[in-house]
Coordinates of all heavy atoms in Angstrom, one line a residue:
I327 N 9.6 5.7 0.6 CA 10.5 6.9 0.5 C 11.9 6.5 0.4 O 12.4 5.7 1.3 CB 10.2 7.9 1.6 CG1 8.7 8.2 1.7 CG2 11.1 9.2 1.4 CD1 8.4 9.0 3.0
R328 N 12.7 7.0 -0.6 CA 14.1 6.6 -0.7 C 15.0 7.9 -0.6 O 14.6 8.9 -1.3 CB 14.3 5.9 -2.0 CG 13.7 4.6 -2.2 CD 14.5 3.5 -1.3 NE 13.9 2.2 -1.6 CZ 13.0 1.6 -0.9 NH1 12.4 2.3 0.1 NH2 12.6 0.4 -1.2
P329 N 16.1 7.9 0.1 CA 17.0 9.0 0.1 C 17.7 9.1 -1.2 O 18.1 8.1 -1.8 CB 17.9 8.7 1.3 CG 17.9 7.2 1.4 CD 16.5 6.8 1.0
L330 N 18.0 10.3 -1.6 CA 18.8 10.5 -2.9 C 20.1 11.3 -2.6 O 20.0 12.4 -2.0 CB 17.9 11.3 -3.9 CG 16.7 10.6 -4.4 CD1 15.9 11.6 -5.4 CD2 17.0 9.3 -5.1
K331 N 21.2 10.8 -3.0 CA 22.5 11.4 -2.8 C 22.7 12.5 -3.9 O 22.1 12.4 -5.0 CB 23.6 10.4 -2.8 CG 23.6 9.4 -1.6 CD 24.7 8.5 -1.7 CE 24.7 7.5 -0.5 NZ 25.8 6.5 -0.6
E332 N 23.5 13.4 -3.6 CA 23.8 14.5 -4.6 C 24.6 13.9 -5.8 O 25.4 13.0 -5.6 CB 24.6 15.6 -3.9 CG 23.8 16.5 -3.1 CD 22.8 17.3 -3.9 OE1 23.1 18.2 -4.5 OE2 21.6 16.8 -3.8
A333 N 24.4 14.5 -6.9 CA 25.1 14.0 -8.1 C 26.6 14.3 -8.2 O 27.3 13.8 -9.0 CB 24.4 14.5 -9.4
D334 N 27.0 15.2 -7.3 CA 28.4 15.7 -7.4 C 29.4 14.7 -6.7 O 30.6 14.9 -6.6 CB 28.5 17.0 -6.7 CG 28.1 17.0 -5.2 OD1 27.8 15.9 -4.7 OD2 27.9 18.1 -4.6
G335 N 28.8 13.5 -6.3 CA 29.7 12.5 -5.7 C 29.8 12.6 -4.2 O 30.4 11.8 -3.5
S336 N 29.3 13.7 -3.6 CA 29.3 13.8 -2.1 C 28.3 12.9 -1.5 O 27.4 12.4 -2.2 CB 28.9 15.3 -1.7 OG 27.6 15.6 -2.1
R337 N 28.5 12.6 -0.2 CA 27.6 11.7 0.5 C 26.4 12.4 1.1 O 25.6 11.8 1.8 CB 28.4 10.9 1.5 CG 29.6 10.2 1.0 CD 30.3 9.5 2.1 NE 29.5 8.3 2.5 CZ 29.6 7.1 1.9 NH1 30.4 7.0 0.9 NH2 28.9 6.1 2.4
S338 N 26.3 13.7 0.9 CA 25.2 14.5 1.5 C 23.8 14.1 0.9 O 23.7 13.8 -0.3 CB 25.4 16.0 1.4 OG 25.5 16.3 0.0
I339 N 22.8 14.1 1.7 CA 21.4 13.8 1.2 C 20.5 15.0 1.5 O 20.3 15.4 2.6 CB 20.9 12.6 1.9 CG1 21.7 11.4 1.6 CG2 19.4 12.3 1.5 CD1 21.4 10.1 2.4
I340 N 20.0 15.6 0.4 CA 19.1 16.8 0.6 C 17.8 16.6 -0.2 O 17.0 17.5 -0.3 CB 19.8 18.1 0.2 CG1 20.2 18.0 -1.3 CG2 21.0 18.4 1.1 CD1 20.7 19.4 -1.8
K341 N 17.6 15.4 -0.7 CA 16.4 15.1 -1.5 C 15.9 13.7 -1.2 O 16.6 12.9 -0.6 CB 16.7 15.2 -3.0 CG 17.0 16.6 -3.5 CD 17.3 16.6 -5.0 CE 17.7 17.9 -5.5 NZ 18.0 17.9 -6.9
A342 N 14.6 13.5 -1.5 CA 14.0 12.2 -1.2 C 13.1 11.9 -2.4 O 12.5 12.8 -3.0 CB 13.3 12.1 0.1
M343 N 13.0 10.6 -2.7 CA 12.1 10.1 -3.8 C 10.9 9.4 -3.1 O 11.0 8.5 -2.4 CB 12.8 9.2 -4.7 CG 11.9 8.7 -5.9 SD 12.8 7.8 -7.2 CE 13.5 6.5 -6.2
L344 N 9.7 9.8 -3.5 CA 8.4 9.3 -3.0 C 7.8 8.4 -4.1 O 7.6 8.9 -5.2 CB 7.5 10.4 -2.6 CG 6.0 10.0 -2.2 CD1 6.0 9.1 -0.9 CD2 5.2 11.2 -2.1
L345 N 7.6 7.1 -3.8 CA 7.0 6.2 -4.8 C 5.7 5.7 -4.2 O 5.6 5.2 -3.1 CB 7.9 4.9 -5.0 CG 9.3 5.2 -5.6 CD1 10.3 5.3 -4.5 CD2 9.7 4.1 -6.6
M346 N 4.6 5.9 -5.0 CA 3.3 5.6 -4.6 C 2.6 4.6 -5.5 O 2.7 4.7 -6.7 CB 2.4 6.9 -4.6 CG 3.0 8.0 -3.6 SD 2.1 9.6 -3.8 CE 0.4 9.1 -3.4
E347 N 1.9 3.6 -4.9 CA 1.2 2.5 -5.6 C -0.2 2.6 -5.3 O -0.6 2.5 -4.1 CB 1.8 1.2 -5.3 CG 3.2 0.9 -5.7 CD 3.4 0.6 -7.2 OE1 2.3 0.4 -7.8 OE2 4.5 0.6 -7.7
D348 N -1.1 2.6 -6.3 CA -2.5 2.7 -6.1 C -3.0 1.2 -5.8 O -2.9 0.3 -6.7 CB -3.2 3.2 -7.4 CG -4.7 3.3 -7.3 OD1 -5.3 2.9 -6.2 OD2 -5.4 3.8 -8.2
V349 N -3.5 1.0 -4.6 CA -4.0 -0.3 -4.2 C -5.5 -0.3 -3.8 O -6.0 -1.1 -3.1 CB -3.2 -0.9 -3.0 CG1 -1.7 -1.1 -3.4 CG2 -3.2 0.1 -1.8
T350 N -6.2 0.7 -4.4 CA -7.6 0.9 -4.1 C -8.4 -0.4 -4.4 O -9.2 -0.8 -3.5 CB -8.2 2.1 -4.8 OG1 -7.3 3.2 -4.6 CG2 -9.6 2.4 -4.4
E351 N -8.3 -0.9 -5.6 CA -9.1 -2.0 -6.0 C -8.8 -3.2 -5.1 O -9.7 -4.0 -4.7 CB -8.8 -2.3 -7.5 CG -9.8 -3.3 -8.1 CD -11.2 -2.8 -8.0 OE1 -11.4 -1.6 -8.2 OE2 -12.1 -3.6 -7.8
L352 N -7.5 -3.5 -4.8 CA -7.1 -4.6 -4.0 C -7.7 -4.5 -2.6 O -8.2 -5.5 -2.0 CB -5.6 -4.7 -3.9 CG -5.0 -6.0 -3.4 CD1 -5.4 -7.2 -4.3 CD2 -3.5 -5.9 -3.3
T353 N -7.7 -3.2 -2.0 CA -8.3 -3.0 -0.7 C -9.8 -3.2 -0.7 O -10.3 -3.8 0.2 CB -8.0 -1.6 -0.3 OG1 -6.5 -1.4 -0.3 CG2 -8.5 -1.3 1.1
R354 N -10.4 -2.8 -1.8 CA -11.9 -3.0 -1.8 C -12.2 -4.5 -1.9 O -13.2 -4.9 -1.3 CB -12.4 -2.3 -3.1 CG -12.5 -0.8 -2.9 CD -12.9 -0.1 -4.2 NE -13.0 1.3 -4.1 CZ -13.1 2.2 -5.1 NH1 -13.1 1.7 -6.3 NH2 -13.1 3.5 -4.9
L355 N -11.5 -5.2 -2.7 CA -11.7 -6.7 -2.8 C -11.5 -7.3 -1.4 O -12.3 -8.2 -1.0 CB -10.7 -7.3 -3.8 CG -11.0 -7.0 -5.3 CD1 -9.9 -7.6 -6.1 CD2 -12.4 -7.7 -5.7
E356 N -10.5 -6.9 -0.7 CA -10.3 -7.5 0.7 C -11.4 -7.2 1.6 O -11.9 -8.1 2.3 CB -9.0 -6.9 1.2 CG -8.6 -7.5 2.6 CD -7.3 -7.0 3.1 OE1 -6.8 -5.9 2.6 OE2 -6.7 -7.6 4.1
E357 N -12.0 -6.0 1.5 CA -13.1 -5.6 2.3 C -14.3 -6.4 2.0 O -15.1 -6.9 2.8 CB -13.4 -4.1 2.2 CG -12.3 -3.2 2.8 CD -12.6 -1.8 2.6 OE1 -13.5 -1.4 1.8 OE2 -11.8 -0.9 3.1
K358 N -14.6 -6.6 0.6 CA -15.7 -7.4 0.2 C -15.6 -8.8 0.6 O -16.6 -9.4 1.0 CB -15.8 -7.3 -1.3 CG -16.3 -6.0 -1.9 CD -16.4 -6.0 -3.4 CE -16.9 -4.7 -4.0 NZ -16.9 -4.7 -5.4
L359 N -14.4 -9.4 0.5 CA -14.2 -10.7 0.9 C -14.4 -10.9 2.4 O -15.1 -11.9 2.9 CB -12.7 -11.1 0.6 CG -12.4 -12.6 0.8 CD1 -13.2 -13.5 -0.1 CD2 -10.9 -12.8 0.5
R360 N -13.9 -9.9 3.2 CA -14.1 -10.0 4.7 C -15.6 -9.9 5.0 O -16.1 -10.7 5.9 CB -13.4 -8.9 5.4 CG -13.3 -9.0 6.9 CD -12.6 -7.8 7.5 NE -11.3 -7.7 7.1 CZ -10.9 -6.6 6.3 NH1 -11.7 -5.7 6.0 NH2 -9.6 -6.5 6.0
D361 N -16.3 -9.0 4.3 CA -17.8 -8.9 4.6 C -18.5 -10.1 4.2 O -19.4 -10.6 4.9 CB -18.3 -7.7 3.8 CG -17.9 -6.3 4.3 OD1 -17.4 -6.3 5.5 OD2 -18.0 -5.3 3.6
S362 N -18.2 -10.7 3.1 CA -18.8 -11.9 2.6 C -18.6 -13.1 3.6 O -19.5 -13.8 3.9 CB -18.3 -12.3 1.2 OG -18.7 -11.3 0.3
Y363 N -17.4 -13.1 4.1 CA -17.0 -14.2 5.0 C -17.8 -14.1 6.3 O -18.4 -15.0 6.9 CB -15.5 -14.2 5.3 CG -15.0 -15.4 5.9 CD1 -14.6 -16.5 5.0 CD2 -14.8 -15.6 7.2 CE1 -14.1 -17.7 5.5 CE2 -14.3 -16.8 7.8 CZ -14.0 -17.8 6.9 OH -13.5 -19.0 7.4
T364 N -18.0 -12.8 6.8 CA -18.7 -12.6 8.0 C -20.2 -12.9 7.8 O -20.8 -13.5 8.7 CB -18.6 -11.1 8.4 OG1 -17.2 -10.8 8.6 CG2 -19.4 -10.8 9.7
K365 N -20.7 -12.5 6.7 CA -22.1 -12.8 6.4 C -22.4 -14.3 6.3 O -23.4 -14.8 6.7 CB -22.5 -12.2 5.0 CG -22.6 -10.6 5.1 CD -23.0 -10.1 3.7 CE -23.0 -8.5 3.8 NZ -23.3 -7.9 2.5
L366 N -21.4 -15.0 5.7 CA -21.5 -16.5 5.6 C -21.5 -17.1 7.0 O -22.4 -18.0 7.3 CB -20.4 -17.0 4.8 CG -20.4 -18.5 4.5 CD1 -21.6 -18.9 3.7 CD2 -19.1 -18.9 3.8
E367 N -20.7 -16.7 7.9 CA -20.6 -17.2 9.2 C -21.9 -16.9 10.0 O -22.5 -17.8 10.7 CB -19.4 -16.6 10.0 CG -18.1 -17.2 9.6 CD -17.0 -16.8 10.6 OE1 -17.0 -15.6 11.0 OE2 -16.1 -17.6 10.9
N368 N -22.4 -15.7 9.9 CA -23.7 -15.3 10.5 C -24.8 -16.1 10.0 O -25.7 -16.6 10.7 CB -23.9 -13.8 10.3 CG -22.9 -13.0 11.1 OD1 -22.3 -13.4 12.1 ND2 -22.8 -11.7 10.7
A369 N -24.8 -16.3 8.6 CA -25.9 -17.1 8.0 C -25.9 -18.5 8.5 O -27.0 -19.1 8.8 CB -25.7 -17.1 6.5
F370 N -24.7 -19.1 8.7 CA -24.7 -20.5 9.2 C -25.1 -20.6 10.6 O -25.6 -21.6 11.1 CB -23.3 -21.1 8.9 CG -23.3 -21.9 7.7 CD1 -22.9 -21.4 6.5 CD2 -23.6 -23.3 7.7 CE1 -22.9 -22.1 5.3 CE2 -23.6 -24.0 6.6 CZ -23.2 -23.5 5.4

């Protein structure tokens, strides 16, 4: 989240910008990797 200043040159802030990044696939890969690592340790 980033604060946005007014365009009139004043320093007042009455708006904010929300930037969102989709990391679903990266999160799933991390979970799969963690599960695989756990299974490997248990198997050994």
Side-chain angles (χ1 to χ4, degrees):
I327 306 169
R328 293 285 186 271
L330 296 179
K331 295 180 180 179
E332 284 297 281
D334 58 9
S336 66
R337 305 182 70 86
S338 60
I339 299 172
I340 60 173
K341 294 179 183 177
M343 179 171 62
L344 172 66
L345 297 96
M346 299 171 58
E347 294 283 351
D348 183 355
V349 294
T350 309
E351 192 62 36
L352 196 62
T353 303
R354 287 174 181 168
L355 285 173
E356 185 179 12
E357 291 175 353
K358 287 181 181 178
L359 187 61
R360 190 185 301 113
D361 289 344
S362 296
Y363 199 84
T364 300
K365 289 177 182 177
L366 183 62
E367 284 189 323
N368 292 338
F370 261 91

